[in-house]
Amino acid sequence: MSAIPQERRVVTAIPGPKSQELQTRRIAAVAAGVGSTMPVFAARAGGGIVEDVDGNRLIDFGSGIAVTTVGSSAEAVVRRASAQLADFTHTCFMVTPYEGYVAVAEQLAELTPGDHAKKSALFNSGAEAVENAVKIARAHTKRQAVIVFDHGYHGRTNLTMALTSKNMPYKDGFGPFAPEVYRVPVAYGYRWPTGPENCGPEAAAQAIDQISKQVGADNVAAIIIEPLLGEGGFIEPAKGFLPALRQFATDHGIVFVADEIQSGFCRTGQWFACEDEGVVPDLITTAKGIAGGLPLSAVTGRAEIMDAAHSGGLGGTYGGNPVACAAALGAIETMKEQDLNGKAKRIEAVMKSRLTAMQEKFDIIGDVRGRGAMIAVELVKAGTKDPNPEATAALAKACHGEGLLVLTCGTYGNVLRFLPPLVIGEELLNEGLGIIEEALAHV
Ligand SMILES: *Cc1c(COP(=O)(O)O)cnc(C)c1O
């Protein structure tokens, strides 16, 4: 655990004077298109705390968007990455390879679902992994169409903007987008017209009908889905939806890709969220939690599919950087040794019991959902299911002012999401929930 005291501390207004000074410099020097949740500048971070330049200690319910699952300065990550830094920073795996890359690929083969032969390719960002999954699926199937889902998020590069559902802020004004991308309904239980019980099979039937009639199953290279949708609002596809699409993909020779960039690596209380319904993807994309904060991503999957791309067709200068690989081995070691899947389940139990109690009290909470340490509340106008983005923004702002770092998400901007590091202490977790409850009482 980190040396930073695991206590919330608010000693200035938030943002404090030093953060405000840095914000002035930032506005002058950094492009406006890069946003930030809070105008608070970090000085150090670890465990469940982010300490800012003014000495405030924020409770971290964001993990840098589901990245620092093991904390922001996990001992094994710092130790292994530091040792690698001293040995060499880069040779380029495509020039002279090194063991760390191979060791990460071996770990991915062991940890991802399914006992078939697997191979991996490593990249830098989540979007890059998704792009490469599409390249590999197209090379393997000799087909072009890609199926994605309402509320899906897959990144900000040109192809992944096309795959992403939400216009603002991800796509607006940035087209034209890549062709041969088709979007179909997802099983969003809370908003399904005939109710959550019917949602899984009905949504699957609709999605499959649209694919069959509008695209043609034989034209489809890949179906790409987040087994627990992240940016779109922490939507758990209703039961039966994922297995039905997995089966449809099998029946038609389509590569089934699970985008586990946000939901993977213990986040939901399992190594990967698709395990929840026993779904075995052909390819799986990972990033975020994989390397304790260093930039690393991967595509892992069936060896015969992964090998479909010709030599030199995959890669990149920095892909699988040795320091990032060392950090990944440290993060995975931490997840295993500290049973972070167990920790995620415990976080779910604490959060869900308190949040469902709040739902009884506050009628703007329409839904409490998620798994493990990927939990959210969907906020609505009292007595309706109309999205309430105003209350969501006000709640987030109130929490920030009290020293609790929370994030929002959702197609309608009305979801407050919680992604604490899995190493957060239970006292901090409860204190954070208390701040949320207090904020709810005041909006
Ligand atoms: C964050 C995210 C991405 C994109 O990852 P970047 O590293 O930001 O490019 C893709 N898919 C999902 C599900 C994500 O949550």
Side-chain angles (χ1 to χ4, degrees):
M1 176 71 64
S2 140
I4 301 173
Q6 294 295 299
E7 282 163 15
R8 178 174 69 107
R9 182 171 80 168
V10 179
V11 291
T12 70
I14 292 181
K18 289 184 181 156
S19 275
Q20 289 184 33
E21 241 179 80
L22 284 166
Q23 180 71 359
T24 305
R25 281 172 53 196
R26 174 230 170 104
I27 288 170
V30 179
V34 185
S36 295
T37 303
M38 288 178 78
V40 158
F41 285 74
R44 36 180 209 154
I49 293 286
V50 175
E51 187 175 297
D52 75 10
V53 288
D54 291 289
N56 298 299
R57 294 197 191 113
L58 314 178
I59 301 177
D60 184 7
F61 275 15
S63 300
I65 319 187
V67 170
T68 53
T69 301
V70 296
S72 304
S73 46
E75 187 277 329
V77 171
V78 174
R79 171 171 41 84
R80 286 185 184 244
S82 305
Q84 179 58 49
L85 265 171
D87 283 346
F88 62 95
T89 55
H90 175 83
T91 59
C92 188
F93 194 76
M94 301 184 305
V95 177
T96 49
Y98 37 86
E99 182 183 354
Y101 189 118
V102 179
V104 170
E106 288 167 350
Q107 287 293 315
L108 285 163
E110 176 195 312
L111 296 171
T112 54
D115 44 21
H116 48 275
K118 292 175 207 153
K119 293 192 178 185
S120 289
L122 304 186
F123 306 97
N124 304 292
S125 69
E128 215 187 334
V130 175
E131 293 239 1
N132 278 281
V134 172
K135 282 168 66 173
I136 293 163
R138 284 177 171 159
H140 172 73
T141 57
K142 314 262 192 303
R143 305 171 181 174
Q144 294 186 351
V146 178
I147 305 294
V148 288
F149 295 84
D150 287 340
H151 310 290
Y153 179 83
H154 301 286
R156 288 175 148 102
T157 58
N158 187 263
L159 174 56
T160 59
M161 277 194 292
L163 302 176
T164 290
S165 170
K166 191 178 177 180
N167 177 53
M168 213 38 189
Y170 306 122
K171 305 166 74 161
D172 195 62
F174 299 144
F177 303 112
E180 288 305 317
V181 173
Y182 302 90
R183 193 175 318 287
V184 299
V186 76
Y188 189 170
Y190 178 65
R191 294 193 175 277
W192 196 252
T194 57
E197 321 71 49
N198 306 315
C199 178
E202 283 183 18
Q206 272 192 27
I208 288 168
D209 185 64
Q210 281 191 23
I211 299 167
S212 309
K213 296 295 176 293
Q214 298 178 17
V215 189
D218 293 345
N219 295 316
V220 179
I223 294 175
I224 307 180
I225 189 162
E226 303 161 77
L228 201 165
L229 283 75
E231 302 301 303
F234 282 23
I235 300 162
E236 287 178 82
K239 293 279 175 265
F241 186 75
L242 290 173
L245 282 149
R246 163 71 276 190
Q247 188 57 47
F248 176 75
T250 304
D251 293 346
H252 296 278
I254 298 167
V255 177
F256 186 88
V257 184
D259 181 350
E260 295 249 17
I261 287 168
Q262 189 154 165
S263 56
F265 281 104
C266 306
R267 181 49 59 187
T268 64
Q270 294 177 297
W271 280 100
F272 296 97
C274 58
E275 292 168 39
D276 197 55
E277 285 187 273
V279 167
V280 177
D282 299 312
L283 300 182
I284 181 163
T285 54
T286 52
K288 295 201 164 98
I290 192 175
L294 275 85
L296 187 72
S297 68
V299 183
T300 301
R302 292 184 191 281
E304 69 276 15
I305 300 178
M306 291 298 296
D307 280 341
H310 50 270
S311 177
L314 306 178
T317 306
Y318 296 113
N321 168 272
V323 182
C325 287
L329 296 171
I332 292 167
E333 175 189 318
T334 307
M335 290 171 195
K336 288 180 178 169
E337 282 182 357
Q338 299 187 18
D339 181 25
L340 292 193
N341 280 320
K343 292 257 164 59
K345 291 203 177 94
R346 175 69 196 150
I347 290 170
E348 173 180 345
V350 171
M351 283 203 146
K352 281 223 172 131
S353 84
R354 290 202 54 185
L355 292 168
T356 46
M358 290 180 217
Q359 188 179 19
E360 303 279 298
K361 246 167 74 183
F362 304 107
D363 47 15
I364 62 167
I365 300 185
D367 197 22
V368 176
R369 59 176 178 250
R371 295 202 298 272
M374 188 169 179
I375 303 288
V377 293
E378 175 158 358
L379 298 157
V380 293
K381 307 236 157 85
T384 73
K385 283 194 177 182
D386 297 345
N388 196 340
E390 300 81 12
T392 311
L395 275 170
K397 194 161 175 243
C399 292
H400 297 164
E402 292 299 316
L404 173 67
L405 208 172
V406 291
L407 307 174
T408 60
C409 65
T411 299
Y412 313 108
N414 68 326
V415 177
L416 203 55
R417 61 168 154 172
F418 312 120
L419 292 160
L422 302 186
V423 295
I424 194 171
E426 205 152 315
E427 262 175 52
L428 280 184
L429 187 65
N430 273 303
E431 193 179 350
L433 287 160
I435 292 170
I436 293 161
E437 184 157 12
E438 190 69 16
L440 274 161
H442 287 98
V443 291

